[in-house]
Amino acid sequence: VTVMFSDDVEQVEVGENFSASCTGNECIVSSEQGVGINELIIIDLKYPSNTKVVGVLFIGQELCDVEPEQMRVDLSLDPTQEPGPTSPAITTEGPDLFDGCAKYEIVETWRNGWKGNLSIPIKHDTSKWRIDAEFNKPVVADFWAGLPERWSNGGTRVVVLGQDWSATQKAGTFFVTGFTANHKEGANVYIKWMKLKKCWATGGCTTCDIVKEECSSRRAGAISISKVKNGVALSKSLSGVFATEVKECSNDMPPVEIEFSSRVKRLIVGRGRYQASCSKYKCTISTTKPIKMVAGTQLKIKFTAVFWEKPGKLVGLNYGDEDMCHD
């Protein structure tokens, strides 16, 4: 049984005949006891009072998925029993709304272009901002709140600076703006990448990715990703398989680091053998116990990524020290 908490947990106490191991905000509870069909499993679990349960998995299947808002969850595990009283409301904290970069969405399209909106969270008062972007093909675009655009690379790269009235934004607000992009009719045009630089009134700047460049040159067969057809949170999940040939013998598997373009809530990996920890956009897969790696054999790891918002694209993949995405 995998129990996910709202904060990192060093250890939990479990009842007799059970054992628990914790990594980051996830703890795996296991037992050597056999379990019969329709048998009720009861685990006494004690964990720190300053954290909350945000998810429970049993052999890879989700039993509860607590969104970052107040909701009621029934933790009954026995399908033969009548539904009992609903559990007390559980409140969890999701990511800070003002920690993100910016939300980009296409709000209107036509045969030779589209209109995009940008919602930019302002954590501190700003003194100026800048947007850098690259399209895959030449476009004619107009960014509404910026000074006249500076184009290069044959009309595919652009730099946009905020005007006097739009450069200064107040903390705790969302700056909403957008742009129109027109191109040759029938052409398949999209944004390859877009970066945002925000500079604070008190000094200092930060740069983030509004649109990350998709990992299109990853090694053939290294990883395959598709939308989940069965399982948890369909609209917020992606499933995939990481596969590679083991080139040399070792006493354990090197960590697998996967980076997505959207913030990851958690990464669900194979039963018992692997574990995953996530921070913002990146997730690292490692082994729960050392695994003997034999040269010439095939390594395969199935996973499901659950996102806070919409599913993201693969933008980074590392196997140990090897960059399998960009090399």
Side-chain angles (χ1 to χ4, degrees):
V1 178
T2 301
V3 184
M4 286 150 285
F5 299 93
S6 57
D7 300 288
D8 288 351
V9 176
E10 293 186 0
Q11 63 181 12
V12 295
E13 294 182 23
V14 291
E16 189 178 356
N17 299 321
F18 294 97
S19 61
S21 62
C22 299
T23 303
N25 70 326
E26 294 187 358
C27 295
I28 297 178
V29 181
S30 58
S31 173
E32 298 298 327
Q33 287 185 315
V35 180
I37 295 175
N38 289 336
E39 182 177 342
L40 181 63
I41 303 173
I42 299 178
I43 303 173
D44 290 326
L45 182 69
K46 293 183 180 180
Y47 54 90
S49 59
N50 60 349
T51 188
K52 299 179 177 65
V53 175
V54 297
V56 178
L57 301 176
F58 181 61
I59 57 172
Q61 292 184 330
E62 186 132 16
L63 300 181
C64 77
D65 182 18
V66 183
E67 297 287 343
E69 59 183 357
Q70 192 175 57
M71 64 181 296
R72 294 184 178 275
V73 181
D74 184 3
L75 297 179
S76 173
L77 308 185
D78 188 357
T80 66
Q81 300 295 317
E82 292 294 326
T86 305
S87 301
I90 299 176
T91 303
T92 65
E93 294 184 0
D96 187 339
L97 295 177
F98 297 100
D99 269 346
C101 186
K103 182 179 180 181
Y104 163 63
E105 60 180 346
I106 297 175
V107 294
E108 187 179 346
T109 60
W110 47 89
R111 298 183 68 177
N112 65 326
W114 75 91
K115 180 168 72 174
N117 274 3
L118 296 170
S119 178
I120 304 172
I122 308 297
K123 189 163 188 176
H124 309 286
D125 290 351
T126 63
S127 60
K128 58 182 178 180
W129 55 264
R130 165 179 172 152
I131 290 176
D132 291 74
E134 182 178 0
F135 297 80
N136 67 318
K137 295 179 181 179
V139 299
V140 177
D142 177 27
F143 287 76
W144 306 331
L147 294 169
E149 299 86 8
R150 303 205 304 257
W151 291 91
S152 62
N153 200 37
T156 60
R157 290 188 182 180
V158 63
V159 176
V160 184
L161 302 177
Q163 298 196 44
D164 292 341
W165 63 268
S166 66
T168 55
Q169 299 293 325
K170 293 294 184 182
T173 62
F174 286 86
F175 174 46
V176 180
T177 184
F179 64 92
T180 55
N182 291 281
H183 53 77
K184 184 178 179 181
E185 188 171 329
N188 179 26
V189 181
Y190 56 88
I191 297 174
K192 292 178 64 176
W193 55 265
M194 180 182 288
K195 293 181 180 290
L196 170 66
K197 182 178 182 180
K198 292 180 283 189
C199 294
W200 314 122
T202 55
C205 301
T206 183
T207 302
C208 60
D209 296 287
I210 299 176
V211 177
K212 288 192 176 185
E213 187 168 9
E214 187 172 2
C215 179
S216 58
S217 60
R218 59 182 177 264
R219 182 170 302 162
I223 198 165
S224 60
I225 291 183
S226 61
K227 285 189 177 179
V228 174
K229 294 182 179 178
N230 298 296
V232 302
L234 296 182
S235 62
K236 297 182 181 181
S237 302
L238 291 177
S239 67
V241 178
F242 169 77
T244 188
E245 182 180 343
V246 179
K247 295 181 179 179
E248 57 184 27
C249 296
S250 65
N251 291 322
D252 199 6
M253 181 192 79
V256 179
E257 186 178 88
I258 306 175
E259 183 178 5
F260 298 93
S261 58
S262 296
R263 288 178 295 181
V264 186
K265 186 177 180 182
R266 65 180 174 275
L267 193 74
I268 304 168
V269 290
R271 305 173 185 173
R273 202 172 203 186
Y274 305 103
Q275 58 190 1
S277 60
C278 298
S279 176
K280 295 185 178 180
Y281 300 91
K282 293 183 179 181
C283 294
T284 301
I285 302 173
S286 57
T287 57
T288 55
K289 296 180 180 179
I291 298 177
K292 197 84 171 178
M293 306 295 286
V294 180
T297 59
Q298 191 77 5
L299 173 67
K300 285 188 177 182
I301 304 175
K302 294 182 179 180
F303 64 86
T304 298
V306 182
F307 299 89
W308 286 106
E309 298 162 346
K310 63 182 180 180
K313 298 177 181 179
L314 177 71
V315 297
L317 174 63
N318 288 74
Y319 177 58
D321 296 329
E322 183 180 5
D323 186 340
M324 304 187 75
C325 177
H326 303 104
D327 291 344

